[in-house]
Amino acid sequence: KALMLTFCIPIILALLTKDFLTREGFLAGSAIGVFIGIPLYAYGQFFGGGPVAMATAVLLEVFGSGAVCWIVSELTRKRHAVITA
């Protein structure tokens, strides 16, 4: 379930909006969920972090990955437009 949450928002954004995400944005957003959200969730689940750590991890996986996707895509889209023009 944790991997599904990590890729949920980036995949939905890629499917619903044309030319919204860049490759770098998708990878950066997914990396936030994988490298920060999943370890935090595992800490909450198995090492005594409790429900607060688990809830923070889920929010970070879902909304953090979406926000990072959007920010990095906005920054790299301008670079791609300059290169391809």
Side-chain angles (χ1 to χ4, degrees), residues 16-39:
L16 294 180
T17 58
K18 184 177 179 178
D19 298 331
F20 181 75
L21 288 182
T22 61
R23 176 181 43 207
E24 293 87 359
F26 184 85
L27 292 175
S30 300
I32 290 294
V34 170
F35 295 119
I36 297 176
I38 291 176

Side-chain angles (χ1 to χ4, degrees), residues 26-82:
F26 184 85
L27 292 175
S30 300
I32 290 294
V34 170
F35 295 119
I36 297 176
I38 291 176
L40 185 59
Y41 186 82
Y43 169 73
Q45 181 75 26
F46 301 115
F47 301 110
V52 173
M54 291 169 54
T56 303
V58 169
L59 291 174
L60 185 65
E61 285 175 349
V62 174
F63 297 114
S65 66
V68 170
C69 277
W70 177 70
I71 291 168
V72 173
S73 291
E74 286 294 320
L75 294 174
T76 57
R77 184 177 302 116
K78 293 172 186 166
R79 186 183 70 183
H80 287 294
V82 171

